[in-house]
Amino acid sequence: MLKRKIIHIDMDAFYASVEQRDNPELRGKPVAVGHAEERGVVAAASYEARKYGVRSAMSSIRAKKLCPNLIFVPGRMGTYKEISRSIHSIFHDYTDIIEPLSLDEAFLDVTENKKGIELAVDIAREIKTRIRQELNLVASAGISYNKFLAKIASDHRKPNGLCTIHPNQALDFIARLPIESFWGVGPVTAKKMHSLGIHNGELLRACSPDMLNRHFGKAGKLYYDFSHGIDNRPVEAVHIRKSIGCERTLEKDISKQSSVIIELYHVTKELIARLERNEFTGNTLTLKIKFHDFNQITRSITQAQKLTSLEVVLPLAKKLLKEVDFENHPIRLIGLSVSNPIEEQNDKTTIWEQLSFEFSDW
């Protein structure tokens, strides 16, 4: 069977790098995109900041403790989107089979490319060079025969990385890969795998499908396939929006029921407005709660009717909220999304739109 030629392009510290590019005084200094206020959150961090342990989604207070000299700059989402369009314009010179994952990250299928270049690594090298020359930014690229390995390859030598995982090298590469580096393995799953004695790809590959399914449900098959270098997901050039969500980061952690209900009402109103603007309908409502300690949970409910009005959605949101113990765990963030589970069977992506005051100018 023909092996696909997949490239994963990932811009290095994209938002922070744009700010450093546009403001010479920031170059070489630890920079965080976001706000330094007590309730602020780091949206992106430069590599100089990452050396201190600063990461995206970290609270601004913790980031400043780790890096006292950290410089905060407000985000400019309009600028980032414009640059992202320029990056994708470069991509389209080589292929139209492009699957964006975010503004700064995408998969490209270059098995058959517009320029007739035989080696995918040569295409990746050209793209990196053009991004540097035309936009004065740096990207990392990973090349392999499937999306999982291309993604792993792009992370392998960041920043400014270029890495190819050849089919003949894949199994050896995966065997040495820490379990935390596997796609879909977050901190909770990694901890569970460690408890089962699974610390790398070699140990994961030794597990049977039944054992993985028993401990990890449907994700077990995915982990099994990845450990064997298997990922049959195509690069999807067209994405249909399958859900719409919004979330609000609160100015203070709250645990009083009346206060939580008021915030839930405001988020629900914004969700309905977004549904109307996008002419989107769905019948599954998902509540997202982030607690004061940054732990996060979601709760969902599916109805036969479409969820399009405040009168329908708000009672369901309150019903989901009853399943959440917030009296003993103050709430930091509340989010809601509406999705269509039938369309989502092959794609579990939820698009969240930030409503917190920190990024109101985005």
Side-chain angles (χ1 to χ4, degrees):
M1 187 175 80
L2 175 67
K3 291 286 188 182
R4 309 303 296 176
K5 297 177 182 179
I6 309 298
I7 298 174
H8 179 259
I9 299 288
D10 192 4
M11 301 299 297
D12 294 335
F14 182 49
Y15 297 170
S17 294
V18 170
E19 299 305 328
Q20 289 178 316
R21 182 198 71 174
D22 294 350
N23 185 350
E25 294 183 0
L26 298 177
R27 294 173 191 170
K29 298 178 181 178
V31 174
V33 176
H35 290 283
E37 286 83 0
E38 181 180 354
R39 305 296 295 176
V41 176
V42 175
S46 68
Y47 278 96
E48 294 85 355
R50 294 182 188 187
K51 291 178 182 178
Y52 292 87
V54 178
R55 295 288 184 271
S56 61
M58 178 180 288
S59 71
S60 298
I61 290 179
R62 174 162 173 73
K64 286 190 291 186
K65 287 181 179 178
L66 291 172
C67 181
N69 296 325
L70 187 63
I71 302 170
F72 281 87
V73 295
R76 298 180 294 155
M77 187 54 69
T79 299
Y80 307 147
K81 288 181 178 179
E82 182 180 350
I83 295 171
S84 180
R85 285 191 288 269
S86 297
I87 294 169
H88 279 255
S89 179
I90 294 173
F91 294 164
H92 279 286
D93 286 344
Y94 300 88
T95 180
D96 290 327
I97 308 177
I98 302 166
E99 180 179 342
L101 301 180
S102 60
L103 291 180
D104 61 339
E105 187 179 3
F107 286 110
L108 289 69
D109 188 329
V110 296
T111 309
E112 297 177 2
N113 60 85
K114 294 180 180 180
K115 296 196 174 186
I117 299 174
E118 181 178 358
L119 297 179
V121 67
D122 290 337
I123 296 175
R125 187 178 288 110
E126 275 194 25
I127 290 174
K128 278 171 51 65
T129 299
R130 288 186 58 187
I131 289 173
R132 185 62 178 262
Q133 292 177 346
E134 298 174 26
L135 301 172
N136 196 22
L137 293 169
V138 177
S140 289
I143 305 97
S144 198
Y145 61 90
N146 64 37
K147 290 163 69 172
F148 165 64
L149 287 169
K151 167 71 172 171
I152 294 298
S154 70
D155 291 336
H156 189 55
R157 292 174 181 161
K158 290 176 72 71
N160 196 24
L162 181 66
C163 177
T164 300
I165 301 178
H166 191 273
N168 295 338
Q169 305 167 334
L171 291 181
D172 288 340
F173 189 95
I174 294 169
R176 299 189 299 269
L177 198 65
I179 204 65
E180 292 84 357
S181 298
F182 275 72
W183 206 347
V185 177
V188 175
T189 302
K191 184 177 180 180
K192 184 173 182 179
M193 286 198 174
H194 289 164
S195 70
L196 295 169
I198 306 171
H199 299 279
N200 56 37
E202 182 178 16
L203 295 170
L204 179 61
R205 192 182 303 155
C207 299
S208 69
D210 288 343
M211 179 268 195
L212 291 173
N213 290 338
R214 187 166 62 253
H215 287 283
F216 302 102
K218 292 181 180 179
K221 183 182 186 308
L222 191 69
Y223 302 145
Y224 179 85
D225 285 348
F226 284 172
S227 71
H228 289 78
I230 300 169
D231 181 5
N232 295 321
R233 297 170 301 166
V235 176
E236 297 179 313
V238 178
H239 271 286
I240 299 173
R241 181 171 237 184
K242 296 177 175 63
S243 65
I244 287 181
C246 57
E247 58 187 37
R248 180 185 296 270
T249 299
L250 310 175
E251 294 189 18
K252 293 182 178 180
D253 299 333
I254 57 175
S255 58
K256 188 177 179 181
Q257 184 174 15
S258 59
S259 299
V260 176
I261 294 296
I262 290 172
E263 295 296 343
L264 184 67
Y265 170 78
H266 289 306
V267 174
T268 306
K269 280 193 67 176
E270 179 60 30
L271 175 63
I272 297 302
R274 291 177 187 269
L275 292 171
E276 291 175 352
R277 284 199 301 269
N278 290 276
E279 298 181 349
F280 182 88
T281 59
N283 59 352
T284 292
L285 180 70
T286 299
L287 172 69
K288 173 181 174 181
I289 297 291
K290 183 180 289 185
F291 298 108
H292 66 105
D293 57 2
F294 282 82
N295 283 327
Q296 179 177 299
I297 64 169
T298 58
R299 297 290 184 268
S300 298
I301 187 170
T302 298
Q303 300 288 288
Q305 67 189 117
K306 297 296 183 182
L307 308 178
T308 57
S309 69
L310 184 68
E311 292 74 20
V312 172
V313 174
L314 185 57
L316 292 175
K318 290 179 179 178
K319 182 176 181 180
L320 292 173
L321 186 64
K322 289 181 180 179
E323 301 178 22
V324 180
D325 175 19
F326 54 83
E327 291 185 0
N328 300 311
H329 302 86
I331 293 175
R332 176 185 178 87
L333 174 149
I334 299 176
L336 284 173
S337 73
V338 167
S339 59
N340 188 326
I342 297 175
E343 293 179 359
E344 285 193 334
Q345 286 177 357
N346 295 319
D347 186 347
K348 297 295 183 183
T349 300
T350 297
I351 300 174
W352 293 91
E353 299 190 31
Q354 175 69 29
L355 296 182
S356 69
F357 72 96
E358 294 100 335
F359 305 124
S360 58
D361 57 332
W362 290 26

